[in-house]
Amino acid sequence: MEAFGGYFVDEKAVRVETIFLDFLRSFRVRNNAAEPYYEAEIEAMRGSESSTMFIDFSHVMQFNNLLQKAISDEYLRFEPYLKNACKRFVMEQRPTFIADDNPNKDINIAFFNLPITKRLRELATAEIGKLVSVTGVVTRTSEVRPELLQGTFKCLECGSIIKNVEQQFKYTEVGLK
């Protein structure tokens, strides 16, 4: 890593971004295919009004073994760089795709067809930061409810304000006197 304007540059991550961008620009399922495979993915994103690019991980494995190993072993480290490569690719191919909507819009990545799938119960701390495909059965669903962690209260009599009243799994008012 090298200091650059007070920041460290993750040189390996920049190389991963460059190789991934090259993958998006040039990958073809068949060598005689007219256009790169992921150009059509941009059109699919536009059609579904999605900001997520779906990447077949088996394509990454065919393209470059070191790239697939870097992504699968250190996904958390490289994710922002991979997303940046996707955004650059989309901007090169269809500049109006992002500019029309929001110039600060992110392009998300969703990998599928990973070679190994783990059951939820098999997950361990060794997988933290890695790209992992999981399988499981949903047995119950419920609505998502917001959780109040800290509250601010105002006394209706004197107007004094009490901030950061910790909530303990239920609505807890402060006792004002």
Side-chain angles (χ1 to χ4, degrees):
M1 290 188 193
E2 180 177 308
F4 178 73
Y7 296 98
F8 285 101
V9 176
D10 187 343
E11 293 174 8
K12 184 176 179 183
V14 171
R15 283 195 311 274
V16 166
E17 178 180 341
T18 303
I19 296 167
F20 189 68
L21 181 58
D22 186 42
F23 160 75
L24 293 171
R25 287 176 179 154
S26 63
F27 182 80
R28 288 173 169 75
V29 176
R30 292 176 310 281
N31 289 338
N32 58 356
E35 68 177 27
Y37 183 86
Y38 289 98
E39 283 184 24
E41 181 62 28
I42 297 172
E43 293 308 314
M45 290 169 57
R46 181 179 295 211
S48 64
E49 296 180 2
S50 172
S51 61
T52 301
M53 181 174 281
F54 290 90
I55 309 289
D56 189 333
F57 200 72
S58 67
H59 293 170
V60 177
M61 292 167 59
Q62 290 174 31
F63 183 76
N64 186 310
N65 192 45
L66 291 175
L67 177 63
Q68 72 91 17
K69 183 156 178 47
I71 292 171
S72 61
D73 288 351
E74 298 183 79
Y75 182 74
L76 193 61
R77 174 183 176 187
F78 299 135
E79 181 190 23
Y81 295 88
L82 298 171
K83 288 172 70 171
N84 191 51
C86 277
K87 186 172 183 174
R88 288 173 53 193
F89 176 65
V90 170
M91 291 299 291
E92 287 173 5
Q93 301 300 317
R94 307 288 187 278
T96 58
F97 183 81
I98 294 176
D100 290 346
D101 192 21
N102 176 3
N104 297 325
K105 179 179 178 179
D106 279 337
I107 300 296
N108 297 305
I109 304 171
F111 287 102
F112 64 96
N113 276 344
L114 274 75
I116 298 172
T117 301
K118 292 197 172 220
R119 295 179 48 166
L120 280 174
R121 293 176 190 239
E122 295 173 345
L123 287 179
T125 55
E127 277 87 35
I128 293 175
K130 294 182 178 184
L131 184 62
V132 180
S133 179
V134 295
T135 183
V137 176
V138 176
T139 57
R140 184 179 340 133
T141 63
S142 63
E143 65 180 280
V144 176
R145 295 187 195 127
E147 180 182 357
L148 179 63
L149 300 176
Q150 294 182 339
T152 298
F153 295 90
K154 180 177 182 180
C155 178
L156 297 176
E157 292 180 14
C158 68
S160 60
I161 296 176
I162 310 291
K163 295 184 177 184
N164 300 326
V165 177
E166 187 175 335
Q167 304 297 301
Q168 297 155 349
F169 303 107
K170 63 181 189 314
Y171 177 70
T172 309
E173 289 186 9
V174 66
L176 295 174
K177 294 182 181 173

